[in-house]
């Protein structure tokens, strides 16, 4: 691990989301805008580059290479090194905690209180509780096989959505899903779930195993899960960063594995 101390005041920023683009550039959504890192230098974008004063809480690069940033007060895309806002119908300063793109190139925009807006390039379709969502607060959107998008709302069972249909994504009992914040699948097909109360659960299709402080999981709240190409599973949230190697959880510090 390389620790970058005060890279252009990056140390003073709270990072909420990280994205690696197709060229290997690392993008950071922070409480002060968006920052990018090319392996050598950091570049910071803020209100002077077209962003508003909201925190950047979601990032996406679409199939055409455009970088999108969801903030606590709107949605923006980068064009010619300037950020431009995409206005959502009948909404003023919406929070955008989740972004995803389906196989057809439609942009799925998860809002904090108004459901999902699907942008087709010229117009929008809208998915809400009336369309089959558990509630209109969206925590994450994750592309799945086909044109499905996995939809996660706080304290709700995960759903699979297309532009025309919403269905249940799992047969897990609802009492096992309270406090669910994020999900990811590993190479063996296990479903990993992160919760807001110091708990990770692994579902193998027939049974659930829980991991807490006793098993080495020290996060107070699990906000994101990533499976890498080496089979390692990474967990980020309140309390730092942890990695699971198939046997044990290990905390990651700025000096590497603890």
């Amino acid at each position: 691990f390389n620790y970058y101390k005060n890279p252009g005041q990056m140390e003073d920023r709270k990072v909420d989301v990280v994205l690696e683009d197709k060229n290997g550039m690392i993008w950071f959504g922070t409480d002060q805008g968006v920052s990018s890192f090319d392996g050598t230098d950091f570049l910071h974008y803020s209100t002077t580059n077209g962003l508003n004063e909201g925190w950047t809480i979601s990032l996406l690069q679409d199939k055409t290479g455009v970088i999108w940033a969801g903030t606590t007060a709107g949605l923006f895309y980068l064009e010619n090194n300037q950020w431009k806002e995409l206005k959502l119908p009948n909404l003023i300063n919406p929070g955008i905690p989740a972004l995803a793109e389906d196989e057809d190139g439609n942009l799925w925009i998860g809002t904090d209180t108004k459901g999902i807006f699907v942008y087709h390039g010229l117009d929008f379709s809208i998915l809400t509780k009336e369309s089959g969502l558990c509630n209109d607060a969206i925590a994450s959107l994750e592309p799945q096989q086909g044109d499905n998008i996995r939809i996660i709302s706080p304290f709700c069972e995960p759903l699979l959505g297309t532009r025309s249909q919403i269905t249940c994504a799992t047969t897990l009992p609802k009492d096992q899903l309270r406090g669910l914040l994020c999900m990811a699948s590993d190479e063996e097909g296990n479903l990993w779930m992160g919760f807001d109360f110091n708990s990770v659960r692994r579902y193998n299709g027939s049974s659930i195993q829980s991991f807490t402080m006793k098993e080495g999981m020290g996060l107070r709240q699990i906000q994101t899960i990533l499976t890498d190409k080496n089979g390692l599973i990474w967990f980020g949230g309140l309390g730092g960063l942890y990695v699971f190697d198939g046997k044990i959880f290990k905390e990651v510090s700025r000096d590497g594995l603890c």
Side-chain angles (χ1 to χ4, degrees), residues 39-232:
T40 303
D41 299 312
F42 284 84
L43 179 63
H44 303 297
Y45 300 91
S46 63
T47 54
T48 59
N49 309 103
L51 291 170
N52 61 21
E53 295 182 352
W55 290 21
T56 301
I57 52 178
S58 59
L59 290 168
L60 174 77
Q61 183 180 37
D62 67 23
K63 294 178 180 179
T64 67
V66 174
I67 302 295
W68 294 83
T71 78
T72 52
L75 176 64
F76 297 81
Y77 61 95
L78 188 61
E79 184 179 273
N80 297 324
N81 223 33
Q82 284 291 120
W83 292 92
K84 298 183 177 180
E85 186 173 7
L86 178 66
K87 295 283 190 180
L88 301 186
N90 304 317
L91 285 184
I92 299 175
N93 299 330
I96 313 294
L99 293 169
E101 186 180 25
D102 65 25
E103 282 194 342
D104 295 326
N106 299 300
L107 181 65
W108 289 58
I109 305 159
T111 72
D112 54 358
T113 58
K114 300 296 182 180
I116 299 169
F117 288 71
V118 184
Y119 180 54
H120 314 300
L122 295 174
D123 58 359
F124 294 85
S125 57
I126 304 174
L127 302 174
T128 64
K129 192 172 182 179
E130 294 180 354
S131 310
L133 295 179
C134 172
N135 65 52
D136 290 334
I138 307 301
S140 70
L141 297 169
E142 303 167 7
Q144 303 295 297
Q145 289 185 344
D147 61 352
N148 288 312
I149 300 291
R150 183 158 61 199
I151 303 165
I152 297 178
S153 295
F155 309 105
C156 291
E157 59 186 331
L159 302 170
L160 284 178
T162 67
R163 292 171 58 184
S164 59
Q165 186 178 22
I166 295 176
T167 59
C168 290
T170 176
T171 57
L172 286 170
K174 290 186 178 181
D175 62 355
Q176 293 289 337
L177 299 170
R178 294 193 184 101
L180 177 67
L181 294 179
C182 55
M183 302 176 75
S185 299
D186 63 23
E187 294 178 338
E188 298 176 353
N190 297 307
L191 185 63
W192 291 83
M193 299 172 283
F195 294 82
D196 70 342
F197 43 79
N198 178 241
S199 177
V200 169
R201 295 174 188 170
R202 180 177 61 190
Y203 178 55
N204 64 9
S206 59
S207 62
I208 299 174
Q209 183 177 2
S210 295
F211 303 91
T212 61
M213 187 75 73
K214 182 179 179 181
E215 289 77 28
M217 169 47 67
L219 296 178
R220 298 187 296 278
Q221 183 185 78
I222 293 82
Q223 298 172 327
T224 185
I225 304 173
L226 171 70
T227 58
D228 68 21
K229 61 184 179 181
N230 298 315
L232 298 175

Side-chain angles (χ1 to χ4, degrees), residues 12-26:
D12 299 329
R13 299 165 190 252
K14 178 183 182 295
V15 177
D16 281 284
V17 61
V18 180
L19 168 74
E20 181 178 6
D21 70 19
K22 298 171 184 177
N23 297 318
M25 183 85 75
I26 306 298

